[in-house]
């Protein structure tokens, strides 16, 4: 799943891309990997490469954004058309973690 936001880093406009990779290991557990790119360049954001929930991934992105003065414009969200519908539902349910105060 790929989600893009317009925003800024240290006052400079940029396009941010979240690349979310869900790996369903079994019916009872999933693992997620998430990459954050600024203008197609990856940012080293994670303390761990694999998270047990999408919520934990998004919380880590939020903390990285807050620490590095990155702002997303929530109204500029664009979701890539090729995705699993369940991933979109799960992302929308956990999206609050990206924009927590």
């Amino acid at each position: 799943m790929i989600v893009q936001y317009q925003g800024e880093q240290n006052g400079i406009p940029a396009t941010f891309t979240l690349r979310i990779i869900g790996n369903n290991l079994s019916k009872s557990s999933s693992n997620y990997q998430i990459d954050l790119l600024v203008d197609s360049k990856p940012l080293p954001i994670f303390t761990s490469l694999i998270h047990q929930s999408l919520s934990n991934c998004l919380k880590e992105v939020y903390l990285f954004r807050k620490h590095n003065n990155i702002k997303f414009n929530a109204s500029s969200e664009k979701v890539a058309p090729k995705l699993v519908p369940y991933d979109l539902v799960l992302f929308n349910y956990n999206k609050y973690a990206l924009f927590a105060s």
Side-chain angles (χ1 to χ4, degrees):
M1 175 177 186
I2 296 175
V3 183
Q4 285 189 330
Y5 292 99
Q6 297 299 317
E8 59 183 48
Q9 182 177 16
N10 298 320
I12 300 170
T15 300
F16 297 93
T17 304
L18 290 173
R19 196 168 39 201
I20 302 165
I21 303 160
N23 299 314
N24 292 325
L25 299 177
S26 70
K27 290 182 181 180
S28 63
S29 77
S30 294
N31 288 319
Y32 293 89
Q33 178 181 346
I34 191 163
D35 299 320
L36 176 62
L37 298 100
V38 59
D39 296 329
S40 74
K41 295 178 184 174
L43 294 173
I45 60 174
F46 300 108
T47 55
S48 158
L49 292 177
I50 298 175
H51 299 274
Q52 290 185 337
S53 72
L54 183 58
S55 177
N56 286 345
C57 286
L58 297 177
K59 286 176 187 174
E60 190 159 349
V61 171
Y62 167 76
L63 292 173
F64 180 82
R65 286 181 42 231
K66 188 173 180 178
H67 181 73
N68 290 285
N69 199 23
I70 294 174
K71 296 178 183 172
F72 288 171
N73 180 352
S75 65
S76 70
E77 178 179 287
K78 292 182 185 175
V79 178
K82 291 185 178 182
L83 58 95
V84 177
Y86 177 74
D87 288 343
L88 182 60
V89 170
L90 193 60
F91 176 76
N92 286 331
Y93 180 77
N94 290 291
K95 187 172 23 179
Y96 74 90
L98 274 177
F99 299 102
S101 307

